[in-house]
Every structure is written in structure tokens, then in C-alpha cells.
Amino acid sequence: TLGGGTNPEVEFPSVGLEVHHRDHSAEEVRRRFAARAVPVVGYVRRNRFYLDVRTVLADDLPEVQDDLDALG
């Protein structure tokens, strides 16, 4: 992943999660995550929702899992 802010040219190691849902569009998945009480921000590319796990705190992973499970 490319850096941002004061280090846009620096690459940072990261792990990404690609979500493709059989019933919901990538944009709908993105909206659902963004609408949480504490928003989870990802991006859409090629009809997939992507979440950069580097931006999620370890303590928040169970909530993210709950949100994924709620998508069905």
C-alpha cells in the first residue's frame, strides 16, 4: 500500500480483505460499513469492496466480523 500524508512515496506493508457478495453490490457493502456507529472505511474497485486491514484496530476485528456475518 502506498503511503499518504507526509509519506506519499513510501510503501507500507498491509493485508487487504476483498469482499464480493452474491446479493449486494460492492457499493452497497461499502455503504453498510460506512453507516456503522463507528464507520469502517473501505473502497470499491472492479465491483469488489476492499478493506485495508492495516487501518482496523485488533480490538475492532470481532465487530468487523459481525458486520461481515450480518451481510449474510
Side-chain angles (χ1 to χ4, degrees):
T1 304
L2 288 178
T6 60
N7 294 311
E9 70 286 344
V10 177
E11 290 196 24
F12 296 98
S14 184
V15 175
L17 176 66
E18 177 184 280
V19 179
H20 181 247
H21 196 277
R22 67 182 174 276
D23 298 323
H24 302 297
S25 70
E27 186 58 33
E28 175 63 21
V29 173
R30 187 200 63 75
R31 278 195 295 268
R32 287 177 180 227
F33 273 89
R36 296 176 71 246
V38 177
V40 173
V41 178
Y43 61 93
V44 172
R45 184 176 295 154
R46 294 185 303 275
N47 201 32
R48 301 284 197 272
F49 173 73
Y50 293 91
L51 177 62
D52 185 348
V53 180
R54 173 176 57 99
T55 65
V56 179
L57 299 174
D59 290 345
D60 295 333
L61 288 174
E63 286 186 52
V64 172
Q65 181 64 59
D66 289 345
D67 291 334
L68 288 168
D69 292 343
L71 287 172

